[in-house]
Amino acid sequence: MSDSRFKRKHLRSPLPTVALYQSDCYVFKAHALNISEGGVLLENLPSIPEISAIPLLLSLPQFPELSSLSNENVLQVEVNELEAKVLRVKARIVRQFEGMTAVDQIFVTRIGCEFVNVSDDSIFEIKEYVSTFAKNTIFLLNLFESHGNNESKKTVLRHVAKLLGYDQEQKLSLLRQKVLHDYQSLESL
């Protein structure tokens, strides 16, 4: 029996992009790892802000539903050519640093941020992004099941993996494990 305190409130999906945030009078760059309606997971923050709500700028790539495209059209999609929705949100850091020294805090590489004062439009865009990413993840998992020894299908599979932020050069068995893990995160509430 699982404890409800550890269940997610919202579906999340990977967000392989850069986030900008403000601390004091400076703008810093961090890597976004995943996003949900409730918040974002950031990595490699050069400075941990000490304010209650940090302004964040996030870019959500607007992926097409890849399953609705032909294999030839899927191969023409490139992440850097996708339109992006830019979200301006405020978020508070939810990771606790109690009992940690300043030196220990330096080694914390991932910071969970909970959105505060988020517009309905931003929530809608996040829901759309997560939903489309989930559909594209299912499409990728189906490619794993159907590729056999067909080289053209393997090429499409690896390209879709790259689009979704995975290492396309990785062995297919390890790549499938990572995609399956992310799919389970999408589906686990």
Side-chain angles (χ1 to χ4, degrees):
M1 184 178 240
S2 64
D3 190 338
S4 64
R5 292 178 299 158
F6 300 113
K7 288 189 177 184
R8 285 187 180 39
K9 293 178 185 175
H10 306 286
L11 295 177
R12 67 177 178 160
S13 69
L15 179 63
T17 189
V18 171
L20 300 177
Y21 68 97
Q22 184 178 348
S23 179
D24 295 325
C25 296
Y26 301 98
V27 174
F28 294 99
K29 176 175 78 169
H31 296 282
L33 295 177
N34 64 50
I35 192 167
S36 75
E37 293 171 54
V40 63
L41 180 63
L42 301 176
E43 181 175 55
N44 299 329
L45 284 78
S47 169
I48 308 292
E50 294 189 22
I51 57 176
S52 60
I54 59 173
L56 280 174
L57 197 63
L58 298 166
S59 175
L60 296 179
Q62 300 299 289
F63 287 100
E65 285 189 30
L66 298 172
S67 63
S68 67
L69 302 177
S70 69
N71 286 347
E72 294 78 26
N73 288 341
V74 167
L75 292 171
Q76 292 176 3
V77 175
E78 294 296 335
V79 171
N80 58 355
E81 296 174 0
L82 294 174
E83 286 187 36
K85 299 281 183 173
V86 177
L87 304 181
R88 291 180 185 270
V89 297
K90 286 197 174 191
R92 69 176 184 86
I93 295 175
V94 293
R95 170 149 303 184
Q96 299 296 321
F97 293 107
E98 292 175 13
M100 294 179 81
T101 67
V103 173
D104 289 337
Q105 290 180 25
I106 291 171
F107 294 104
V108 174
T109 61
R110 293 181 175 187
I111 303 293
C113 296
E114 180 181 31
F115 294 138
V116 294
N117 300 327
V118 183
S119 72
D120 290 340
D121 288 342
S122 292
I123 293 293
F124 175 79
E125 293 299 337
I126 293 168
K127 281 183 181 179
E128 286 294 308
Y129 174 82
V130 171
S131 174
T132 302
F133 203 96
K135 290 174 186 173
N136 288 338
T137 301
I138 293 168
F139 175 67
L140 180 54
L141 286 171
N142 286 333
L143 288 173
F144 279 108
E145 300 304 319
S146 68
H147 75 76
N149 285 328
N150 185 325
E151 286 304 315
S152 66
K153 283 191 177 183
K154 283 183 185 177
T155 301
V156 172
L157 183 153
R158 289 192 179 280
H159 186 72
V160 171
K162 180 182 91 171
L163 289 174
L164 299 182
Y166 299 99
D167 178 3
Q168 68 178 3
E169 300 301 322
Q170 200 165 44
K171 285 186 174 182
L172 289 180
S173 59
L174 292 175
L175 182 58
R176 184 180 180 280
Q177 279 182 322
K178 287 185 177 188
V179 174
L180 191 55
H181 174 268
D182 287 343
Y183 172 74
Q184 290 166 341
S185 293
L186 281 165
E187 295 299 316
S188 298
L189 281 178

